[in-house]
Amino acid sequence: MEDTRSVASLMDSTSSKIQQLQKAFAELESQRAVTLNLKWKELEEHFHGLERSLKRRFHELEDQEKEYETKTRKAQELLEKKKAAVEAKEKASLERLQKKRDAAMFTINSALDKYKNAPISKPSIGERWPQNAVRDSPNAFAADSITDDNPDGTVQDVQISPVMGNFEVKAYPQLLKLCGDMDSTGLHKFVSDNRKNLASLKEEIPIAFRAAANPASLVLDSLEGFYPREAPSADGKKDANLLGMRRTCIMLMECLSILLSGLGLNSLSTVLSESVKQRAKTIAEGWNPLLETLDMDACNGNSLEAHAFLQLLATFAIVSDFKEDELLKLIPMVSRRRQAAELCRSLGLSEKMPGVIEVLMNSGKQIDAVNLAFAFQLTEQFPPVALLKSYLTEARRSSSQGRPGNASPAVQDEFNERELTGVKAVIKCIEEHNLEEQYPVEPLQKRILQLEKAKAEKKRATEPTKPQPKRPRGAQPRVSDNNNKTGYGRVIPERYPQYVYDNRPFLSGPIMAAQAPPPPAPQTYTFSPAPAHGNFYGNCYQYQAPPPYFH
């Protein structure tokens, strides 16, 4: 506004400036020696024109400024209205969430009060329930029914709680009977038949174990046959039945760990009695020598034998009976398995994980090292992006060794497939740990497309070409088509094609030649010209000859 006022004051002083200029011009004209071509009137009109144009432009700018101020004021008012509406919506949402939270807390508190005050119902047929339930945890066994007179961990009078619905086995009630009967063979078969629903089985098996008289002994019974007696060193990867059985054993031990984690100290010490631990130790000592034959590179971080051994030690709390160095050597053999991090925590090896991660880095298992670094919060000591780039560099180096000039086509395909698998594994690791900002995946995805394209082209080049059907020889009959507007005849096949006798192979050969009659002797023909043709045309019709013409 101050600039506008200064411009307006300057424009108002234009008239006085013009008058001063007129006086100066008059003095100049009075003292001139020669006549000037330029008259004062012309100068005055020129300056007045400039004044009018400046005033007009000034008024236009003022109007534009007022319009801009009006638009700005309206936009600010609209923004304030929207802000108020958003704040009102947020307040309403918070109020609704608070109401829902209060209702949920009221429901939970009511359920807890009902559970605490509910009387213990009479056990039904086939179910067992402790006389005095342990209140250490919701999943606790009845410790009062397990006394020192029962050192083998047998749970007498145990049933699933009829009060809490979470303790009921709804999807697979057969599990209750199998566990109640301590039928490890039937339990194995049941898990094998329902392997497609492992997620729900894992949720219900720990609950079903509570119906067993001795769940720890049931799990130990299920381990029989993990190493077949007739072939203890059998390769489980080649035997599908043995592979499935070993996976079931590991899952049952994990389910038992889930059950034991919900027990109180008294119940836990009773279930895992000294006799149970001694039996588990005996099994582990029998398995330990067989693990020495395992190759870490061949296992590829996915050894079921090493996983089962470590899970046995963790589940039955017998880790202290074995050397820590021996256990650390087995961790790289299970580093690729999903349960590796939790297994290391259960074994008390969390402080030794930096050394395990270094072993994985030096053995070309950088992706497993990244997963463990995230699981134990060691990413500052072991940067994940650097490890992934190192893994890709090694994969590409091995792929370059398999180029056409250095290796056979089969070896080259193996190296390319290895690089393709490695790039896909790196992308999966980046997405799982949200490293897209630090390590973009677009170049890796382009590399996958290149490798897959090269693989497809090579596959097409090695496939045998299919023979093309022969086209019939000779001209095909064409017929005119009134509805055909292209102007070309329409080819139709003959309804009764000509039978070609000359192409029959059975008419030739030594047998047919012997049976065929001898060919007739060649005949000779003599031609003698007729003495005269007579009055005949060339078509053998006689004609009347005209009389001779005489002159």
Side-chain angles (χ1 to χ4, degrees), residues 22-32:
Q22 183 179 2
K23 291 178 182 181
F25 186 79
E27 292 177 0
L28 180 62
E29 189 175 356
S30 63
Q31 297 176 4
R32 65 191 174 102

Side-chain angles (χ1 to χ4, degrees), residues 37-158:
N37 294 329
L38 183 62
K39 299 298 180 181
W40 167 245
K41 292 294 182 183
E42 296 178 358
L43 284 174
E44 187 177 11
E45 290 179 359
H46 175 69
F47 284 113
H48 282 300
L50 290 177
E51 182 182 6
R52 287 190 299 271
S53 65
L54 286 174
K55 287 184 178 180
R56 184 177 64 254
R57 183 60 180 163
F58 178 73
H59 293 312
E60 290 177 357
L61 290 175
E62 282 185 340
D63 295 338
Q64 291 179 2
E65 184 179 4
K66 291 179 181 179
E67 185 180 357
Y68 173 74
E69 290 177 355
T70 304
K71 290 182 178 179
T72 304
R73 186 175 63 257
K74 291 181 179 179
Q76 192 168 2
E77 292 176 356
L78 182 61
L79 183 61
E80 290 178 356
K81 290 180 180 179
K82 290 185 176 180
K83 183 178 179 181
V86 171
E87 290 178 353
K89 289 182 179 179
E90 289 181 353
K91 186 177 180 180
S93 299
L94 290 175
E95 291 177 355
R96 288 196 300 268
L97 289 176
Q98 185 65 29
K99 290 180 180 179
K100 291 182 179 179
R101 179 181 176 277
D102 295 341
M105 291 298 297
F106 178 76
T107 304
I108 293 173
N109 292 331
S110 301
L112 290 175
D113 294 339
K114 182 179 178 182
Y115 170 65
K116 291 178 181 179
N117 299 327
I120 300 176
S121 60
K122 185 178 179 180
S124 59
I125 299 175
E127 296 180 339
R128 285 169 289 180
W129 180 250
Q131 297 174 358
N132 297 316
V134 177
R135 301 297 182 181
D136 293 337
S137 80
N139 296 334
F141 276 88
D144 294 342
S145 62
I146 308 174
T147 60
D148 295 337
D149 298 334
N150 188 20
D152 59 349
T154 302
V155 181
Q156 301 173 356
D157 302 332
V158 176

